[in-house]
Amino acid sequence: MGSWAKLKSTGWVFPTAVLSLYGFFANCRPAEPFLTPYLIGPYKNISEEVVTNYLFPIWTYSYLVVLFPVFLLTDFLRYKPVIVVQGLFLVTNYVLLCFAPGLTAMTFLQFNYAVVTSTEVAYFSYIYSVIPPERYQRATGYLRSAMLTGSTLGATIGQMLVSLAGLDYFYLNAISLGILSIAFLISIWLPMPQQGMFFRGEKAALGLRTKGQVEEEASAVEEVQDAEEAVEDGAGSGRTQGAGSSTGWCSLHNVVYAGRLLWSSFRESYSSRKLVYWSLWWALATAGYGQVFNYIQLMWDHIEPSSTSSVYNGGVEAICAVVGAAAAFCVGHVKVTWDVWGELSLGVFSAVGAGAVFLIGLTSNIWASYAGYVIFKASYMLLITITTFQIASNLSMACFALTFGVNTFVALLLQTILTAIVVDETALGLDIITQFIIYGSYYAAISVLFLIRGMYTACAHHCRPKQAMDQEQKEDPKVEMPSSDQFCSDHRQSSIRD
């Protein structure tokens, strides 16, 4: 028993294994590719127009409202409670899908699912708070593999049960409910982290602190000490109690320190022009991707109604997962100077994505639409992998976590604007074909923007005198991902200085 308890509290294998299991089961949802046919079918009997122009926009609006508070609560509550809540809300989602009739229940389901998606940031943030930095890369690979395997297997099982066994959509949702119940129970076994990344988490999370950050932290500590002294002076006989509470989780020291660390991380994250361009593409492209992903099943049902024809949504999603994983894997083995060719790559593959969305929206052939979606999703997964790596390799873990949250929030804000104007029945309330033409045009605009920027960057690089390039490299050396040994050494030196 003693060795088991020690493994749970200090080892990296146990939390990684438990979280990987949770990620596998939480993403194994055989019914998800068939959500739209289920909603507009005989079980829920909701019209396609109501699903498109009323029901799905509620998810977007709710997601925007809860994202930022959940992002802060995730760190404050130290991740595990948020993951448990995610598992509970996933179970609730499928309880509603299986047993709750009527439009009101499905409206609440959209808000419920918005909470689920807003808590996804806790999945990777959790593991970085409980394992040593030298294990980050391996643990991240295991977690992503678990998610991919779960989603691929879930989509494949769903497609096989529908196509080969003729299983009803209701039973797919019941099977998904059982699988997600297992995920919820697994989440309870996760060890509780000792601290968050911003709330008393500076020693665990900041393996690569810059000089500016150190100065900001010192300044924050000084301000907090001054504030606490002022409070204690006014407290009189309650000084002892005040001093004791200053070390609490909700203490003034903790909150002010977290606020200053958030601000210094934000300034560091967006101080580089190159990182701003990568973040801009992240936000713009993710907003468009979210719209395509949300409404693709409605497009497929419009091209070939599920009530009168076979549905292969699950097979297409499984292929997308495999192709996207292969594209992301190839990125790590391609030798490219991304500082020179990265923005041009964003423009080229965004153009490919735009063409794929136009194909989805303009074709009347379901197989062409399936192919267009696979191409679109693979190009997005390729680029988002490159973007994530470029941003993460130049920032500390705390800065990357904040950048992830800010970029996601901006993307969701843009997606909300698109939804409010294009989809919502109170505004234009456009039909599904017109929506996809607009989404294709949106991606085409992104492509043009980054093609122009990319060609300018490439030309400037090749036309620049060699001496100027050498001088720039001396003044602004390229930041590379540190090795595990280097990371540990820096972390130990940082701890000594603290």
Side-chain angles (χ1 to χ4, degrees):
M1 285 295 292
S3 60
W4 174 254
K6 183 178 180 180
L7 176 65
K8 290 178 64 176
S9 61
T10 63
W12 76 277
V13 175
F14 181 80
T16 303
V18 174
L19 191 60
S20 296
L21 279 174
Y22 171 79
F24 171 81
F25 284 101
N27 286 274
C28 186
R29 311 171 200 169
E32 189 168 81
F34 306 94
L35 175 61
T36 297
Y38 181 70
L39 291 176
I40 65 180
Y43 275 99
K44 300 302 178 184
N45 198 27
I46 304 173
S47 69
E48 181 180 324
E49 291 74 18
V50 172
V51 173
T52 305
N53 303 123
Y54 169 74
L55 206 56
F56 283 179
I58 292 175
W59 171 84
T60 306
Y61 302 147
S62 302
Y63 189 12
L64 179 67
V65 171
V66 301
L67 177 62
F68 190 69
V70 168
F71 175 76
L72 294 179
L73 281 174
T74 297
D75 190 76
F76 183 76
L77 297 177
R78 293 178 286 171
Y79 313 112
K80 178 184 173 177
V82 178
I83 295 176
V84 174
V85 167
Q86 183 189 56
L88 178 62
F89 273 58
L90 278 170
V91 172
T92 305
N93 241 37
Y94 281 88
V95 169
L96 292 171
L97 281 171
C98 289
F99 306 112
L103 184 61
T104 302
M106 296 302 99
T107 301
F108 177 74
L109 180 143
Q110 295 300 312
F111 173 79
N112 189 86
Y113 190 64
V115 176
V116 171
T117 50
S118 68
T119 56
E120 289 178 354
V121 66
Y123 183 69
F124 285 102
S125 300
Y126 167 86
I127 204 64
Y128 297 142
S129 67
V130 295
I131 66 173
E134 64 270 18
R135 303 293 186 180
Y136 282 174
Q137 185 173 353
R138 289 183 64 183
T140 302
Y142 294 146
L143 297 180
R144 288 196 181 278
S145 298
M147 293 176 64
L148 172 64
T149 305
S151 60
T152 304
L153 184 62
T156 303
I157 291 174
Q159 188 62 62
M160 292 177 64
L161 291 175
V162 170
S163 298
L164 302 180
L167 196 68
D168 192 271
Y169 294 140
F170 171 80
Y171 295 105
L172 280 184
N173 283 282
I175 293 171
S176 299
L177 174 60
I179 294 173
L180 292 171
S181 298
I182 296 174
F184 169 66
L185 294 176
I186 291 173
S187 69
I188 299 175
W189 282 85
L190 288 168
M192 187 69 177
Q194 297 300 314
Q195 53 193 0
M197 190 170 294
F198 296 104
F199 290 89
R200 292 291 186 181
E202 67 277 12
K203 292 184 179 180
L206 297 179
L208 292 175
R209 294 186 304 173
T210 64
K211 180 179 178 181
Q213 279 186 294
V214 174
E215 293 174 352
E216 289 283 347
E217 293 171 20
S219 177
V221 171
E222 291 177 0
E223 288 191 9
V224 171
Q225 289 175 345
D226 292 342
E228 289 179 347
E229 288 175 2
V231 172
E232 291 175 3
D233 289 342
S237 61
R239 174 173 298 191
T240 303
Q241 181 179 355
S245 64
S246 68
T247 60
W249 197 253
C250 298
S251 67
L252 177 63
H253 183 283
N254 197 16
V255 173
V256 173
Y257 177 87
R260 288 297 300 271
L261 185 55
L262 280 166
W263 175 241
S264 63
S265 299
F266 179 84
R267 290 201 308 175
E268 180 189 346
S269 300
Y270 296 96
S271 61
S272 169
R273 182 177 298 181
K274 291 178 182 178
L275 294 186
V276 169
Y277 289 136
W278 287 105
S279 296
L280 178 63
W281 182 89
W282 180 336
L284 291 172
T286 301
Y289 170 80
Q291 290 298 93
V292 173
F293 179 79
N294 284 349
Y295 296 96
I296 189 63
Q297 292 186 29
L298 286 161
M299 171 57 76
W300 290 337
D301 201 84
H302 177 82
I303 296 173
E304 198 164 298
S306 57
S307 58
T308 59
S309 57
S310 300
V311 178
Y312 298 97
N313 298 2
V316 173
E317 289 292 352
I319 293 172
C320 285
V322 174
V323 173
F329 177 80
C330 291
V331 170
H333 295 79
V334 175
K335 301 298 181 181
V336 177
T337 307
W338 295 112
D339 287 345
V340 179
W341 301 108
E343 292 162 2
L344 191 60
S345 300
L346 295 178
V348 170
F349 283 99
S350 294
V352 173
V357 175
F358 278 125
L359 175 62
I360 295 171
L362 298 176
T363 187
S364 58
N365 184 294
I366 189 63
W367 295 104
S369 182
Y370 284 154
Y373 180 66
V374 171
I375 294 171
F376 169 76
K377 194 165 185 178
S379 64
Y380 174 79
M381 294 302 294
L382 173 70
L383 294 181
I384 198 65
T385 302
I386 297 171
T387 302
T388 303
F389 170 76
Q390 286 300 303
I391 293 177
S393 62
N394 288 277
L395 294 176
S396 65
M397 192 57 64
C399 291
F400 176 70
L402 182 62
T403 303
F404 178 86
V406 172
N407 290 352
T408 303
F409 181 80
V410 174
L412 186 57
L413 183 61
L414 293 171
Q415 187 178 347
T416 303
I417 294 172
L418 278 172
T419 301
I421 296 174
V422 176
V423 183
D424 201 308
E425 61 183 0
T426 60
L428 296 179
L430 299 176
D431 62 272
I432 194 68
I433 293 178
T434 307
Q435 286 184 36
F436 270 77
I437 293 174
I438 291 176
Y439 302 150
S441 303
Y442 174 84
Y443 255 89
I446 297 174
S447 168
V448 171
L449 175 64
F450 281 90
L451 280 173
I452 294 173
R453 172 65 192 175
M455 287 187 290
Y456 170 79
T457 301
C459 291
H461 175 81
H462 287 284
C463 295
R464 189 181 307 163
K466 186 178 185 303
Q467 293 81 0
M469 292 169 54
D470 294 339
Q471 182 65 25
E472 184 185 56
Q473 289 176 357
K474 291 179 181 179
E475 294 177 354
D476 185 22
K478 183 179 178 180
V479 180
E480 298 179 351
M481 285 291 289
S483 65
S484 299
D485 294 336
Q486 291 172 330
F487 205 113
C488 294
S489 176
D490 291 345
H491 182 65
R492 286 194 297 266
Q493 292 174 7
S494 176
S495 301
I496 292 172
R497 288 196 301 268
D498 292 341

